[in-house]
Amino acid sequence: QVQLVESGGGLVQAGGSLRLSCAASGNIFSIKAMGWYRQAPGKQRELVAVISSGGSTNYLDSVKGRFTISRDNAKNTVYLQMNSLKPEDTAVYYCNAELSSHYYLAMRDYWGQGTQVTVSS
């Protein structure tokens, strides 16, 4: 069974920083990409950042220049460094991985449980 476990969320003041971590574990065969989504109350879940196995990255326009996604392939871990946080960044952040497992070799999406990020003004 594949699991994604997030950590690093919390409460910070506007302008502060947080670093989120997400570790994938289980019978992983191959990881194509890992990323972060977020969902604020009453809003649709949106992609924040994604990084491919080759290291290419994409970001939500509103976080460009403030957030940085990175990964440690050996640890199957993805990070999201969030700087200059704004109140509108407040949301539950979910780790996502597109991967295949030894039990199901086709690529599919897996999700973490979510970690709350709250930015006060």
Side-chain angles (χ1 to χ4, degrees), residues 24-105:
S25 63
N27 291 319
I28 298 169
F29 183 77
S30 180
I31 299 178
K32 183 178 181 180
M34 297 184 75
W36 292 93
Y37 288 72
R38 68 186 183 188
Q39 187 167 27
K43 294 185 178 180
Q44 189 176 14
R45 185 175 297 189
E46 62 185 352
L47 177 65
V48 178
V50 63
I51 185 166
S52 72
S53 60
S56 62
T57 59
N58 285 287
Y59 295 91
L60 182 68
D61 284 344
S62 62
V63 308
K64 288 181 178 178
R66 299 189 297 119
F67 292 9
T68 303
I69 190 169
S70 61
R71 80 278 187 268
D72 185 335
N73 288 338
K75 297 181 179 180
N76 290 332
T77 299
V78 64
Y79 306 93
L80 186 67
Q81 179 67 46
M82 303 185 293
N83 299 324
S84 302
L85 283 162
K86 304 175 180 179
E88 52 262 43
D89 295 318
T90 295
V92 177
Y93 284 70
Y94 296 91
C95 180
N96 170 264
E98 184 180 7
L99 58 82
S100 62
S101 72
H102 289 287
Y103 299 105
Y104 189 80
L105 293 177

